[in-house]
Amino acid sequence: MLVTMSPSRFLVGNPQNSSSPFILLSSPHHSLLPPSLPLKSLHTPSLCSRHLSPCSALQWNRKPQLAGETPRVVVITSGKGGVGKTTTTANVGLSLARLGFSVVTIDADVGLRNLDLLLGLENRVNYTAVEVLNGDCRLDQALVRDKRWPALELLCISKPRSKLPLSFGAKALTWLVDALRSRAAGAPHFVLIDCPAGIDAGFITAISPADEAVLVTTPDITALRDADRVTGLLECDGIRDIKMIVNRVRTDLIRGEDMMSVLDVQEMLGLPLLGVIPEDAEVIKSTNRGYPLVLNKPPSLAGLAFEQAAWRLVEQDSMTAVMVEEEPRKRGFFSFFGG
């Protein structure tokens, strides 16, 4: 498995086997290379083919341009549990902080709080939103700042094994987001809300203050059915800016037609594609360590994909999935082009 970058493409695959699937992640507007990737690994002429522009070294020479009015309130949801919402919130949030944007992540999953574990901040959560609403502490006391990247802050709704007051709902979360907008330290650039699974009261509460949504799904039929249902609910709630992240993609299963391709997923849901995250064992390792994947050195494939998704989120960019045959008798050249 080799990885290379060109000014508009991120290529993963085995160049020694022409039938091996390639994932080509592309955006025509900007460079997507994290600064941690060494330049010597970027120039790999052997990976070029007649379908691709000449491979060349990529320069990390600018900061992404923030689009839209701040703060941008984004809910990360899916409907189905276990598809990677919390992992996406942690890694995209930290990627945004590393790009120089201030981020507040809100764990809106009341019963099963996990975002603090993935960020490695579980031992520093002393106050939650419930204490803020009860007047027991100030909002800035409930915000937990990441010491590694101070631009990232965490707000938990409640403590584990504690009952949430019946009065907490959509209005309470909207009040918290409005308080972040008007706080003395300045409004954050992004507010990322980690939505609980399902479409019950917790889901309604989490999406209420959001202006944008990132729908996380995996390429299996159960996740896609739930994602389609959630898309309809988001649109009914007035959220029209909905983008999709396809998680846990395995090119070997796609090649064997045992997994739907990203093109199939995009055609079924009809949503702009924010990112494609390959299956990566490093995700489990980073989760157990409380060390977000995007901080790994050297970077993993999934970490690179999360950083690219964060960059597109900043600029409100998207991708388009297509499928290209390298030769009529040789199948398996899968591509995802930016659009």
Side-chain angles (χ1 to χ4, degrees):
M1 181 71 71
L2 292 179
V3 181
T4 188
M5 304 284 293
S6 74
S8 62
R9 305 179 191 276
F10 167 38
L11 184 64
V12 181
N14 182 3
Q16 305 301 325
N17 183 2
S18 60
S19 63
S20 174
F22 287 81
I23 294 179
L24 183 58
L25 308 181
S26 166
S27 177
H29 306 302
H30 48 65
S31 304
L32 295 175
L33 173 68
S36 55
L37 192 63
L39 287 178
K40 64 180 180 181
S41 65
L42 306 181
H43 186 68
T44 314
S46 61
L47 289 180
C48 299
S49 73
R50 61 178 177 272
H51 297 289
L52 304 179
S53 62
C55 299
S56 61
L58 183 66
Q59 293 183 354
W60 184 266
N61 55 5
R62 72 177 183 89
K63 178 181 176 180
Q65 301 298 312
L66 181 60
E69 297 181 0
T70 58
R72 287 174 53 186
V73 184
V74 184
V75 62
I76 299 179
T77 184
S78 69
K80 187 177 184 297
V83 297
K85 294 184 298 295
T86 304
T87 301
T88 299
T89 305
N91 285 281
V92 170
L94 195 54
S95 296
L96 292 172
R98 296 178 71 200
L99 289 171
F101 301 102
S102 56
V103 184
V104 173
T105 56
I106 300 178
D107 191 339
D109 195 335
V110 176
L112 302 172
R113 193 183 85 188
N114 289 316
L115 184 57
D116 56 331
L117 290 173
L118 267 66
L119 291 172
L121 302 175
E122 67 275 11
N123 294 326
R124 298 181 53 206
V125 179
N126 296 320
Y127 298 106
T128 65
V130 172
E131 281 81 21
V132 176
L133 294 171
N134 290 337
D136 298 329
C137 72
R138 301 187 308 272
L139 178 60
D140 62 307
Q141 291 177 308
L143 290 169
V144 181
R145 192 179 299 274
D146 194 316
K147 294 181 179 179
R148 296 161 299 193
W149 294 92
L152 178 70
E153 295 174 293
L154 169 67
L155 176 64
C156 295
I157 296 298
S158 65
K159 295 179 179 178
R161 301 184 180 180
S162 64
K163 286 187 177 181
L164 195 68
L166 295 176
S167 59
F168 188 90
K171 291 184 178 179
L173 186 58
T174 302
W175 180 88
L176 288 171
V177 173
D178 289 340
L180 289 172
R181 284 192 175 100
S182 58
R183 65 177 180 173
H189 294 106
F190 287 91
V191 177
L192 302 184
I193 303 174
D194 183 20
C195 183
I199 54 173
D200 53 6
F203 169 81
I204 300 301
T205 298
I207 69 173
S208 56
D211 305 312
E212 308 173 39
V214 173
L215 189 67
V216 183
T217 185
T218 52
D220 60 86
I221 194 66
T222 55
L224 292 176
R225 169 183 279 184
D226 293 349
D228 185 57
R229 172 66 172 155
V230 166
T231 301
L233 294 175
L234 291 171
E235 291 176 346
C236 289
D237 198 62
I239 301 176
R240 301 294 179 180
D241 189 353
I242 308 172
K243 293 185 175 64
M244 172 179 62
I245 287 181
V246 184
N247 194 21
R248 306 188 66 176
V249 174
R250 290 185 55 178
T251 54
D252 56 333
L253 294 181
I254 295 175
R255 184 176 65 242
E257 298 185 353
D258 294 317
M259 175 180 281
M260 283 183 286
S261 68
V262 178
L263 176 62
D264 297 330
V265 173
Q266 192 171 27
E267 288 179 345
M268 290 182 66
L269 296 180
L271 296 175
L273 187 60
L274 186 67
V276 178
I277 315 299
E279 181 76 55
D280 195 337
E282 291 296 324
V283 174
I284 298 177
K285 296 178 183 179
S286 67
T287 299
N288 291 334
R289 290 184 301 165
Y291 192 80
L293 192 67
V294 294
L295 297 180
N296 284 0
K297 293 182 180 181
S300 65
L301 295 181
L304 288 171
F306 276 123
E307 289 187 320
Q308 294 172 359
W311 189 301
R312 295 187 190 98
L313 182 65
V314 171
E315 298 197 338
Q316 295 184 336
D317 199 2
S318 62
M319 304 160 56
T320 303
V322 298
M323 186 177 293
V324 181
E325 295 283 350
E326 188 173 6
E327 293 181 12
R329 291 175 294 178
K330 292 183 179 180
R331 37 186 311 217
F333 194 97
F334 299 97
S335 305
F336 310 111
F337 293 88

